[in-house]
Amino acid sequence: MTSVRSTIITTTDNPEAEQHIVTAVRNSLQAEVRAETIMSYYWWDGKVQNDAERRLSFDTSHAFETAMDVVSKAHNYDVPMIITAVSEGGEHWKGTIAPATAELAAALAGSRLVACAQLDADGSLAVKTTAEAKV
């Protein structure tokens, strides 16, 4: 039996794109999606970008590769970040820093220590990076 995994993705703050992904996840993976608005800081086109986005997360017993395939096909980004929380070590790492600021998020993305820093309304910062970059 496959263990339950929590898969987290980020989309634009575009209601049609969000609904397309939510529908695909519900229909193909039989999962309910949680959504929240965040500010994302990331490196793109040679500089730090920041955008309001919707973070979508869901729990599924399907393999991560299956969930990634469903989400990728429904996603509106050319290169969507699709990650999963894993209980054991791996090459990627997701963590939270609290309290945090927009300046910290931009500095982490600008230093390339994180692939993406997502600032929540409550002031916590979710970061995604490689296990090697985790200090």
Side-chain angles (χ1 to χ4, degrees), residues 19-93:
Q19 190 55 52
H20 187 65
I21 294 166
V22 168
T23 299
V25 168
R26 284 182 180 155
N27 292 343
S28 299
L29 303 173
Q30 296 76 46
E32 287 303 312
V33 178
R34 299 172 299 279
E36 60 188 320
T37 301
I38 47 92
M39 282 298 296
S40 283
Y41 296 80
Y42 54 94
W43 188 266
W44 192 259
D45 288 334
K47 62 182 179 179
V48 174
Q49 308 285 334
N50 66 308
D51 294 299
E53 294 184 305
R54 296 282 288 168
R55 182 168 52 207
L56 306 177
S57 60
F58 61 92
D59 299 321
T60 182
S61 59
H62 290 273
F64 175 69
E65 292 74 18
T66 302
M68 186 170 70
D69 185 57
V70 168
V71 172
S72 293
K73 288 178 179 173
H75 211 289
N76 60 310
Y77 281 1
D78 292 336
V79 184
M81 179 178 282
I82 304 168
I83 65 167
T84 186
V86 292
S87 57
E88 296 182 19
E91 68 178 87
H92 296 95
W93 181 81

